């Protein structure tokens, strides 16, 4: 069996030892990885679980009587329970394995095609990732429903009064991210959910950017759907989850037809399997699902309270140090933020800054971050985004600031 990492006290140098990639070099310099909002790094514990799967019990699930298949099925279903407990879902069958946030959103959007009618309305926010805009536009095209948008202000906060005025008995769905990927803003989802429910609308929360920083409680939130990707929280790519209240998942039709999702098939009529299998057609990412569970265990062994308070320190420190640079502008400045900083320096193109930083071994993301409406709002082509994780350090921030100052000098 693989060793389970356990941290009794938050100690970043010890934690960094769990991540083999953090000791590599890029362009002859130690890697400084500040692109965690795009994807997080993978601890040895999760890598071991992946190796263990392919070395010891790789097989298909839910169909074999043989030992390997039973072992894989048990581990996959245990991972579902780990996810259920972590998000505090009432039932394990309310957790659907998907290939990630994008897949989860498309699954729900496709299901609502048989529920929405022309003149119904759905509300998204101005802060959404393209993957939480386009599927809803496609749904509106299919059904004749109308898409409404909650506007944002200069600080990157959603305008809740405008949201209230958009809500009506026509509203059937409200879709908002928990945390904005471009700005790091934490949205007031408790208020957003309560207001939507007052009008009988269902709510989908995109948790892609919250789950590395916050432990959401889907029952306390009373949210109808919550979606996320494992790779944002130390898990592998190509696997994610859809949480849906049982009553909603029973109401939605299957997304894809195939093996695993049926009860009985004849050429005259097919009946569908119970939850969660109704939404899990075909052979899933078995190893990925098991590794997702291991990633959740790993992050809980560090503890979300410790992660939150350490990342707040990093955010505060990095913000102060960045503002030393003349002409640097941070987008989305509010107290309700995760450790993400989106900025530009004067009229320097973000891509140029990112390229020089890469030469110095520093990974940041540049561009529109799949949030073109936010970039349009600020009237910029893109930003530089530094996104921090619990394994980053103040020393790394110092090197990043020195590198940025050099890049700004070269490009000014
Ligand atoms: N929603 C949000 C809020 C996201 O940040 C992302 C990915 C997605 C949905 C899509 O997730 P996927 O796992 O299905 O691709 N965000 C980013 C990013 O900010 N940089 O690269 C990917």
């Amino acid at each position: 069996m693989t060793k389970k990492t356990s941290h009794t006290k938050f100690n970043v140098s010890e934690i960094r030892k769990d991540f083999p990639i953090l000791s590599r070099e890029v362009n002859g310099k130690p890697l400084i990885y500040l692109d965690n909002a795009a994807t997080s790094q993978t601890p040895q514990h999760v890598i071991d679980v992946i190796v263990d799967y392919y070395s010891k019990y790789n097989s298909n699930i839910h169909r074999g009587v043989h030992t390997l298949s039973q072992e894989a099925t048990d581990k996959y279903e245990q991972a579902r329970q780990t996810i259920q407990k972590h998000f505090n879902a009432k039932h394990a069958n309310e957790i659907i394995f998907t290939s990630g946030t994008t897949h989860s959103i498309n699954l729900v959007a496709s299901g609502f095609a048989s529920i929405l009618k022309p003149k119904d309305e759905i509300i998204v926010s101005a802060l959404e990732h393209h993957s939480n805009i386009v599927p809803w536009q496609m749904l509106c095209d299919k059904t004749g429903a109308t898409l409404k948008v909650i506007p944002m202000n200069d600080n990157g906060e959603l305008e809740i009064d405008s949201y209230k005025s958009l809500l009506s008995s026509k509203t059937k769905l409200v879709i908002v991210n928990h945390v904005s990927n471009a700005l790091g803003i934490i949205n007031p989802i408790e208020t957003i959910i309560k207001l939507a429910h007052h009008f009988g609308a269902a709510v989908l929360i995109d948790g892609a950017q919250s789950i590395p920083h916050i432990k959401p409680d889907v029952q306390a939130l009373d949210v109808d759907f919550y979606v996320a990707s494992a790779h944002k929280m130390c898990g592998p790519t190509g696997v994610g989850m859809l949480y849906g209240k049982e009553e909603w998942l029973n109401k939605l039709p299957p997304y894809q037809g195939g093996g695993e999702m049926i009860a009985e098939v004849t050429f005259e009529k097919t009946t569908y399997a119970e939850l969660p299998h109704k939404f899990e057609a075909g052979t899933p990412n078995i190893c990925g699902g098991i590794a997702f569970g291991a990633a959740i265990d790993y992050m809980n062994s560090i503890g979300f309270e410790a992660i939150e308070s350490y990342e707040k320190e990093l955010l505060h420190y990095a913000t102060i140090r960045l503002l030393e640079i003349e002409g640097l502008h941070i987008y989305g400045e509010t107290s309700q933020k995760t450790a993400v900083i989106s900025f530009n320096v004067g009229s320097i193109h973000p891509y140029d800054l990112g390229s020089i930083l890469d030469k110095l071994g520093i990974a940041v993301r540049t561009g529109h971050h799949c949030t073109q409406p936010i970039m349009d709002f600020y009237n910029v082509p893109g930003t530089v985004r530094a996104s921090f994780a619990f394994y980053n350090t103040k020393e790394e921030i110092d090197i990043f600031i020195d590198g940025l100052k050099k890049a700004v000098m070269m490009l000014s």
Side-chain angles (χ1 to χ4, degrees):
M1 270 321 288
T2 52
K3 181 175 133 293
K4 177 134 177 242
T5 312
S6 162
H7 294 279
T8 44
K9 191 166 165 292
F10 192 88
N11 177 337
V12 72
S13 4
E14 282 305 307
I15 286 168
R16 287 177 68 80
K17 290 184 194 156
D18 294 338
F19 292 82
I21 206 167
L22 296 181
S23 54
R24 77 159 276 185
E25 292 193 342
V26 169
N27 294 321
K29 303 276 192 312
L31 166 68
I32 295 183
Y33 186 76
L34 304 180
D35 194 19
N36 294 287
T39 201
S40 57
Q41 292 305 343
T42 318
Q44 190 62 50
H45 170 60
V46 174
I47 297 171
D48 287 346
V49 166
I50 293 168
V51 172
D52 212 47
Y53 172 82
Y54 283 109
S55 346
K56 298 189 185 143
Y57 60 99
N58 176 29
S59 55
N60 216 327
I61 51 170
H62 297 138
R63 42 195 106 188
V65 289
H66 63 78
T67 301
L68 262 54
S69 174
Q70 282 172 11
E71 283 179 14
T73 304
D74 287 350
K75 293 259 203 263
Y76 194 67
E77 292 307 324
Q78 273 164 25
R80 195 190 305 274
Q81 284 172 20
T82 302
I83 298 168
Q84 175 206 348
K85 282 200 194 99
H86 182 74
F87 290 93
N88 195 30
K90 207 169 187 179
H91 310 291
N93 66 5
E94 294 176 316
I95 303 296
I96 311 297
F97 279 113
T98 64
S99 70
T101 307
T102 304
H103 176 186
S104 305
I105 293 169
N106 277 280
L107 189 161
V108 177
S110 152
F112 268 85
S114 62
I115 294 176
L116 293 192
K117 307 261 175 312
K119 299 211 173 71
D120 282 345
E121 293 180 355
I122 63 183
I123 298 177
V124 296
S125 95
L127 289 173
E128 300 312 307
H129 187 278
H130 294 164
S131 70
N132 209 19
I133 300 174
V134 184
W136 306 112
Q137 288 174 323
M138 290 161 66
L139 174 63
C140 287
D141 285 348
K142 257 189 234 160
T143 58
T146 306
L147 191 72
K148 304 263 170 169
V149 183
I150 311 171
M152 61 188 273
N153 65 22
D154 282 346
N155 293 337
E157 296 155 334
L158 292 179
E159 300 206 330
I160 297 302
D161 282 343
S162 305
Y163 169 53
K164 285 182 190 162
S165 65
L166 290 176
L167 283 163
S168 74
S169 59
K170 291 187 203 158
T171 314
K172 295 294 177 274
L173 254 174
V174 174
I175 302 123
V176 175
N177 60 36
H178 196 165
V179 170
S180 147
N181 69 311
L183 308 178
I185 308 280
I186 305 171
N187 288 314
I189 60 166
E190 294 82 356
T191 308
I192 289 171
I193 293 166
K194 273 202 190 98
L195 286 166
H197 284 170
H198 187 70
F199 287 89
V203 182
L204 179 142
I205 298 294
D206 171 355
Q209 295 293 338
S210 54
I211 54 159
H213 312 290
I214 297 166
K215 188 171 173 171
D217 179 332
V218 292
Q219 287 191 76
L221 287 168
D222 193 26
V223 67
D224 302 287
F225 303 99
Y226 198 96
V227 298
S229 303
H231 71 97
K232 305 283 192 197
M233 60 175 307
C234 298
T237 54
V239 66
M241 57 160 276
L242 158 66
Y243 158 78
K245 279 184 187 162
E246 200 175 46
E247 57 186 285
W248 268 116
L249 293 178
N250 279 328
K251 227 182 272 179
L252 296 186
Y255 179 47
Q256 292 182 317
E260 271 300 292
M261 52 75 73
I262 54 90
E264 220 173 83
V265 177
T266 66
F267 282 110
E268 288 69 42
K269 186 174 165 56
T270 288
T271 51
Y272 304 126
E274 296 292 317
L275 294 173
H277 308 294
K278 170 179 152 188
F279 291 109
E280 294 183 350
T283 300
N285 182 349
I286 302 165
C287 175
I290 295 168
F292 187 4
I296 287 178
D297 283 342
Y298 174 79
M299 289 202 65
N300 280 319
S301 79
I302 294 169
F304 277 81
E305 270 179 35
I307 289 172
E308 249 184 284
S309 77
Y310 179 70
E311 287 180 350
K312 261 203 185 108
E313 261 180 58
L314 290 183
L315 174 66
H316 181 66
Y317 185 68
T319 305
I320 287 175
R321 295 248 30 220
L322 277 169
L323 291 173
E324 286 171 10
I325 297 173
E326 215 186 297
L328 188 141
H329 179 78
I330 295 177
Y331 301 93
E333 280 191 283
T334 107
S335 58
Q336 296 302 305
K337 264 185 79 167
T338 56
V340 171
I341 308 179
S342 233
F343 63 91
N344 275 319
V345 186
S347 57
I348 301 174
H349 199 284
Y351 178 83
D352 295 335
L353 287 173
S355 303
I356 296 180
L357 288 171
D358 179 57
K359 298 274 181 299
L360 302 170
I362 302 161
V364 292
R365 184 167 173 195
T366 64
H368 56 59
H369 316 297
C370 299
T371 56
Q372 281 179 351
I374 300 181
M375 301 299 123
D376 289 346
F377 177 85
Y378 288 119
N379 201 18
V380 291
T383 67
V384 180
R385 182 185 68 183
S387 51
F388 305 93
F390 57 93
Y391 42 74
N392 288 125
T393 64
K394 287 188 182 165
E395 291 71 31
E396 287 183 309
I397 291 171
D398 288 338
I399 299 169
F400 162 54
I401 301 292
D402 287 348
L404 189 60
K405 284 181 177 169
K406 263 189 216 144
V408 170
M409 276 223 301
M410 286 167 70
L411 296 165
S412 297

